């Protein structure tokens, strides 16, 4: 992935935090017929492996599952806050002569998937529900599927680990623009897109005029 030193994340925690906040990724694998793409939810185990391990699942009928069973290299792409940056938000100094751009945060997780057995898949599904239902009012629990509810579904699902062999992250948040221009964009985004504005503030806080 093309990047510049200015776009490095502030810390590994920022990278892991983006993965956990997104929880959903585009997975790309090269197969005999070309690229295969699926869109899947993930749980991140930060402590397993040097770069963490992702865990996910997909329908057993999904052709992507055969490539996962073969352990073919895959990349999971997680997208964070992003949005169009208009020069209309920049101060005239004396003119607004910077071009429009798009700010974004993205993480690429490369690795070779490892299929899970039925027990591992069931354990993953329980954990995924716990993560996604956490802090919800009147949260849903897997046991509400009723007797045999999990057992009926497991044969149609393939779970897998994706140990992260290579981790790439790009947090393009206006660090390479003039600070007064980026500050103007942050001010405009405070109401329009507070998540993007907050990330831009964090990644430009060290800069001085």
């Amino acid at each position: 992935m093309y990047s510049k030193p200015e776009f490095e994340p502030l810390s590994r925690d920022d990278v892991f935090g983006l993965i956990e906040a997104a929880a959903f990724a585009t997975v790309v694998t090269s197969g005999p017929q070309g690229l295969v793409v699926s869109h899947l939810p993930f749980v991140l185990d930060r402590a397993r492996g040097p770069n963490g391990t992702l865990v996910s699942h997909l329908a057993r009928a999904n052709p992507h599952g055969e490539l996962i069973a073969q352990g073919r290299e895959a990349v999971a792409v997680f997208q964070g806050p992003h949005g169009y940056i208009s020069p209309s938000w920049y101060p005239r100094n004396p003119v607004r002569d910077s071009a429009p751009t798009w700010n974004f945060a993205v993480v690429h997780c490369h690795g070779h998937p490892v299929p899970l057995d039925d027990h591992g898949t069931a354990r993953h599904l329980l954990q995924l529900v716990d993560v996604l239902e956490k802090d919800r009012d009147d949260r849903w629990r897997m046991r509400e599927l009723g007797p045999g509810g999990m057992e009926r579904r497991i044969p149609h699902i393939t779970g897998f680990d994706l140990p992260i062999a290579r981790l790439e992250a790009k947090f393009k948040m206006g660090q390479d623009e003039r600070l007064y221009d980026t500050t103007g964009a942050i001010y405009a985004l405070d109401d329009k897109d507070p998540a993007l504005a907050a990330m831009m503030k964090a990644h430009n806080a060290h800069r001085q005029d």
Side-chain angles (χ1 to χ4, degrees):
M1 175 173 58
Y2 170 71
S3 190
K4 300 198 295 188
E6 297 96 315
F7 303 150
E8 285 292 314
L10 298 176
S11 68
R12 177 63 65 90
D13 280 344
D14 279 347
V15 176
F16 284 162
L18 186 151
I19 292 171
E20 291 167 339
F24 193 73
T26 299
V27 182
V28 183
T29 306
S30 180
Q33 306 304 317
L35 297 178
V36 180
V37 181
S38 292
H39 308 276
L40 306 173
F42 282 89
V43 174
L44 172 65
D45 185 341
R46 295 190 182 203
R48 190 149 52 101
N51 296 310
T53 296
L54 296 168
V55 191
S56 188
H57 68 281
L58 73 174
R60 198 156 285 186
N62 186 336
H64 208 154
E66 180 59 30
L67 302 179
I68 287 172
Q70 295 170 11
R72 289 179 178 263
E73 185 176 7
V75 57
V77 179
F78 293 86
Q79 183 78 59
H82 65 95
Y84 174 68
I85 306 300
S86 170
S88 69
W89 300 332
Y90 298 163
R92 289 181 168 86
N93 194 30
V95 295
R96 299 175 298 187
D97 58 349
S98 292
T101 190
W102 200 282
N103 282 356
F104 62 92
V106 68
V107 176
H108 294 181
C109 302
H110 299 257
H112 292 268
V114 180
L116 299 174
D117 60 18
D118 287 352
H119 178 73
T121 297
R123 185 170 61 247
H124 155 66
L125 294 173
L126 287 167
Q127 183 184 22
L128 180 64
V129 168
D130 282 344
V131 169
L132 298 180
E133 290 285 335
K134 182 182 178 182
D135 299 327
R136 289 182 180 272
D137 294 335
D138 194 25
R139 58 155 293 173
W140 185 85
R141 299 180 186 278
M142 192 71 83
R143 63 173 177 266
E144 295 184 61
L145 289 174
M150 178 76 88
E151 290 78 2
R152 290 197 308 274
R153 290 167 171 81
I154 287 295
H156 305 290
I157 298 171
T158 298
F160 65 95
D161 285 344
L162 184 64
I164 304 172
R166 181 160 57 96
L167 192 61
E168 299 177 306
K170 181 176 182 178
F171 287 50
K172 180 184 178 296
M173 293 289 145
Q175 304 96 314
D176 59 339
E177 302 289 347
R178 293 176 300 209
L179 183 56
Y180 59 77
D181 286 343
T182 295
T183 301
I186 291 170
Y187 181 79
L189 286 165
D190 270 333
D191 292 329
K192 296 178 178 67
D193 191 339
L196 180 56
M199 186 168 280
M200 289 173 64
K201 286 178 187 175
H203 284 79
N204 287 278
H206 64 285
R207 300 176 63 193
Q208 297 180 348
D209 290 318

